[in-house]
Amino acid sequence: MIISFKEALQDAYRNKYAVGAFNCLSLENVMGAIQAAEELRSPIILQLAEVQFPYSPIALMAPIFIESAKKATVPVAVHLDHGQSFETCAKAIRLGFNSVMIDGSGLPLEENIRVSSAVVRMAKAFDVDVEAELGKVGDTGSGEGEGTGNASTADVFTDVEESARFIRQTGIDALAIAIGNLHGKYIATPRLNIQRLIEIKDRNNIPLVLHGGSGTSEEDFKACIHNGISKINVATAIQLGIAEEMQAYLGTISKPSYIEMKYKMVEATKQVVMKHILLFESNNRV
Ligand SMILES: [Zn+2]
């Protein structure tokens, strides 16, 4: 069944777990993710980022997301990840996404507030929820390609006072923060600034979002979900899981079957998603 983004995150916020938001680039990803959520009785978010549109067009993915969400026996939200403009957010809403992220984190603060507020006003007219980002989530340079910035320096972390002003002035439903997290495949496991997370949580009262969930240590994940992170994005881990599965399969067989490969892609997605659902403690919540 379809659930609103806000409702899913608020339950997670109250009960100190995180809903996994999985970037799905194909039918196989969607099928595997839904199967994982159903098997573990977990809410889930299916999402697609604007940088992924060239190979997974949003107009084609939207009906797959929405029909799969409706048919699922667990609550599913359908979310635009890293919308880069007001127009992209409007397009996702027209296609039936029930939440959108506007990423103005690369803009000066005032411009980020302006574009995020404009998206909130438009989205609320359609009963759609909004995530925005403050601070710079870095990029490992391994391919997700949506961040810039260097997450190891403190001045890119989300500022506590700015976060309070940003949330108040924009009216967003969830805030993505930068606490040393990176997009893409980590070369070394990053250390997250949990102290900063706690300060942001204590200063505000809305669900927080962690981007760059592929490769964070189990200890940091636990510290995050117990301190206000209610949504964690996972993209790269799924891609790596499928690539490894394909490599293993193609290495053992002389006449590969495409149908067999499709089944293996679904299964590899399911395994990665199940692992993260258990880590995020969102299992047995529905
Ligand atoms: Zn992200």
Side-chain angles (χ1 to χ4, degrees):
M1 69 217 65
I2 290 189
I3 190 175
S4 86
F5 177 87
K6 189 174 179 174
E7 212 181 316
L9 264 59
Q10 284 186 343
D11 189 71
Y13 186 74
R14 277 195 299 273
N15 295 300
K16 295 192 188 317
Y17 67 92
V19 183
F22 300 93
N23 288 68
C24 289
L25 306 181
S26 68
L27 178 61
E28 291 74 28
N29 288 167
V30 173
M31 289 171 71
I34 299 269
Q35 283 177 20
E38 288 182 333
E39 196 162 313
L40 293 173
R41 306 311 301 162
S42 170
I44 193 176
I45 297 168
L46 302 178
Q47 64 180 20
L48 184 70
E50 187 169 354
V51 291
Q52 296 165 333
F53 292 179
Y55 39 88
S56 303
I58 186 170
L60 302 182
M61 294 307 294
I64 296 177
F65 278 23
I66 293 161
E67 289 309 309
S68 303
K70 281 185 191 162
K71 283 203 181 75
T73 62
V74 292
V76 182
V78 175
H79 179 71
L80 170 71
D81 184 30
H82 287 284
Q84 293 162 353
S85 68
F86 179 94
E87 289 70 27
T88 303
C89 292
K91 183 178 183 183
I93 292 169
R94 270 199 306 276
L95 289 168
F97 282 54
N98 67 351
S99 61
V100 294
M101 177 195 184
I102 174 70
D103 182 2
S105 63
L107 301 170
L109 179 64
E110 298 306 326
E111 283 178 51
N112 191 359
I113 290 174
R114 191 188 52 74
V115 68
S116 300
S117 307
V119 169
V120 169
R121 278 195 301 277
M122 181 258 304
K124 290 299 158 190
F126 298 95
D127 210 15
V128 166
D129 302 320
V130 179
E131 172 186 339
E133 181 171 311
L134 187 63
K136 296 284 281 178
V137 175
D139 194 334
T140 58
S142 70
E144 199 185 348
E146 39 178 10
T148 44
N150 176 354
S152 66
T153 51
D155 63 355
V156 298
F157 291 169
T158 303
D159 180 83
V160 180
E161 285 313 310
E162 277 182 11
S163 74
R165 190 174 145 224
F166 187 81
I167 290 166
R168 190 175 65 244
Q169 295 190 348
T170 57
I172 53 170
D173 302 290
L175 179 69
I177 59 170
I179 50 169
N181 40 316
L182 295 170
H183 287 116
K185 184 187 179 187
Y186 295 131
I187 291 110
T189 303
R191 294 282 305 279
L192 300 184
N193 189 333
I194 302 300
Q195 186 52 41
R196 180 63 62 93
L197 166 62
I198 292 169
E199 288 165 16
I200 296 168
K201 174 190 73 106
D202 287 346
R203 186 72 178 75
N204 300 291
N205 192 28
I206 68 168
L208 302 171
V209 181
L210 184 74
H211 283 232
S214 302
T216 303
S217 73
E218 187 171 334
E219 190 190 351
D220 273 353
F221 272 141
K222 296 294 182 194
C224 282
I225 67 178
H226 297 144
N227 289 291
I229 294 288
S230 309
K231 170 180 181 258
I232 302 180
N233 287 9
V234 178
T236 310
I238 295 175
Q239 298 171 22
L240 292 173
I242 290 180
E244 277 169 24
E245 184 70 26
M246 287 303 102
Q247 191 170 34
Y249 172 64
L250 294 170
T252 59
I253 196 157
S254 58
K255 282 207 173 90
S257 146
Y258 176 60
I259 304 301
E260 191 66 24
M261 286 164 70
K262 278 181 71 77
Y263 277 118
K264 287 185 177 297
M265 289 179 201
V266 171
E267 184 60 28
T269 306
K270 182 181 171 185
Q271 292 307 323
V272 172
V273 173
M274 284 178 76
K275 186 184 124 194
H276 287 90
I277 284 174
L278 294 171
L279 264 175
F280 303 162
E281 301 178 16
S282 67
N283 53 306
N284 295 325
R285 302 282 178 178
V286 293

